[in-house]
Amino acid sequence: MAFKVTRYAFTPPHWPTGLRLRAVALSDIHACWPWMTRARIETLVIEANALRPDIFFLLGDYVQAVKIFGRPVPHPDFAHPLAGLSAPLGVHAVLGNHDWTDDEGAVKRGAGPTEAGEALEAVGIPVYHNRSVRIEHGGGAFWLAGLESQRAFWLPRKERSRKNHFRGLDDLDGTLAQVTSDEPVILMAHEPDIFDRVPDRVSLTLSGHTHAGQINLFGWTPVVPSYHGTRFLHGHIVEEGRHLIVSAGLGYSGVPLRFMAPPEIVLLDLGA
């Protein structure tokens, strides 16, 4: 079955005239059997490559999150197919919350590395841990910033509050401090909650995590994993001139069911 392609074509703020970038963003793959198998990820890669992007953004949550009727698969079963993604400017990744919270070794250490991150790096896909790099393209350049997960570890129960259940490893200020020119910045951040703190300096923030609610009953979404509720649920969100794209993701979390929140490949034509 083909994946839905959701296309956004616009010029972000601070975007130089003449710089055109086609990008594909993939989020929340959640590899597991029988819902997101190696064969299905291979199909995803074929369909994503057919869009002929200049660059791929992988927005986190590669590991199993289906707790009912799902079984984990070896990490190479998602990493090796993703190595088949092909674009002139490469494939770039950040980690998601499940890549941390479901990694027993990382949880025990309270630190990385994670098995998901190592699997991606092993096949040549760089994983950004609060890092920014400058990328030249089409006679111009932009900065790609990758933020670490804001929900990397559960806090002890006695330390949790209504607005915070997690200890994040994100360092927004430190990540953006690595940007040393006035060229545009694209920020990859798995969880969109950070968006209310993203400065105007960033042209575009890309996120996943919410699954667009995964179950949307004609506008009512019973579970949205965000402290902001449905504010950053899905789609192209503009607030005070700042731009955010939130992908509905590709896999499942909790239960293998989606309703009115279909999985999607995100296609971006920037400067179009």
Side-chain angles (χ1 to χ4, degrees), residues 29-34 36-39 41-42 62-65 70-82 99 102-103 114-120 122-123:
I29 291 171
H30 290 303
C32 70
W33 190 92
M36 186 63 80
T37 62
R38 179 171 184 150
I41 298 171
E42 288 171 347
Y62 310 96
V63 303
Q64 180 207 20
R71 295 210 308 263
V73 298
H75 284 37
D77 280 11
F78 73 77
H80 283 283
L82 291 177
D99 302 320
D102 294 357
D103 187 316
T114 63
E115 292 182 358
E118 289 188 312
L120 292 170
V123 297

Side-chain angles (χ1 to χ4, degrees), residues 5-10 12 15 20-26 48-49 51-59 86-92 135 137 142 144 186 188 204 206 245 265-272:
V5 176
T6 301
R7 184 188 181 212
Y8 302 95
F10 64 100
W15 199 259
R20 296 197 173 194
L21 181 72
R22 168 166 279 207
V24 164
L26 306 175
N49 280 338
L51 299 173
R52 301 178 65 85
D54 301 308
I55 193 168
F56 280 102
F57 302 130
L58 305 184
L59 301 178
S86 179
L89 301 180
V91 184
H92 308 262
I135 298 176
H137 174 63
F142 64 94
L144 179 60
I186 296 174
M188 299 185 293
L204 176 63
L206 301 173
I245 300 287
I265 297 171
V266 171
L267 174 64
L268 299 162
D269 282 303
L270 303 180

Side-chain angles (χ1 to χ4, degrees), residues 32-170:
C32 70
W33 190 92
W35 311 108
M36 186 63 80
T37 62
R38 179 171 184 150
R40 183 149 173 79
I41 298 171
E42 288 171 347
T43 298
L44 169 66
V45 168
I46 292 170
E47 294 182 12
N49 280 338
L51 299 173
R52 301 178 65 85
D54 301 308
I55 193 168
F56 280 102
F57 302 130
L58 305 184
L59 301 178
D61 271 6
Y62 310 96
V63 303
Q64 180 207 20
V66 177
K67 307 306 181 184
I68 300 174
F69 308 124
R71 295 210 308 263
V73 298
H75 284 37
D77 280 11
F78 73 77
H80 283 283
L82 291 177
L85 294 171
S86 179
L89 301 180
V91 184
H92 308 262
V94 292
L95 298 180
N97 56 303
H98 282 281
D99 302 320
W100 286 97
T101 59
D102 294 357
D103 187 316
E104 292 183 3
V107 170
K108 185 175 181 179
R109 292 188 301 273
T114 63
E115 292 182 358
E118 289 188 312
L120 292 170
E121 295 274 7
V123 297
I125 297 175
V127 180
Y128 289 53
H129 306 282
N130 299 318
R131 183 166 69 101
S132 296
V133 300
R134 182 177 180 272
I135 298 176
E136 296 184 355
H137 174 63
F142 64 94
W143 288 85
L144 179 60
L147 197 66
E148 193 50 272
S149 174
Q150 301 149 58
R151 297 181 172 216
F153 301 108
W154 286 95
L155 287 170
R157 289 190 179 277
K158 62 182 180 180
E159 297 180 20
R160 297 178 194 175
S161 67
R162 185 175 65 85
K163 292 188 175 182
N164 189 19
H165 291 178
F166 299 90
R167 174 169 71 88
L169 296 176
D170 54 299

Side-chain angles (χ1 to χ4, degrees), residues 246-271:
V246 182
S247 169
L250 294 152
Y252 301 99
S253 182
V255 295
L257 176 65
R258 282 181 178 261
F259 182 76
M260 295 183 69
E264 67 181 6
I265 297 171
V266 171
L267 174 64
L268 299 162
D269 282 303
L270 303 180

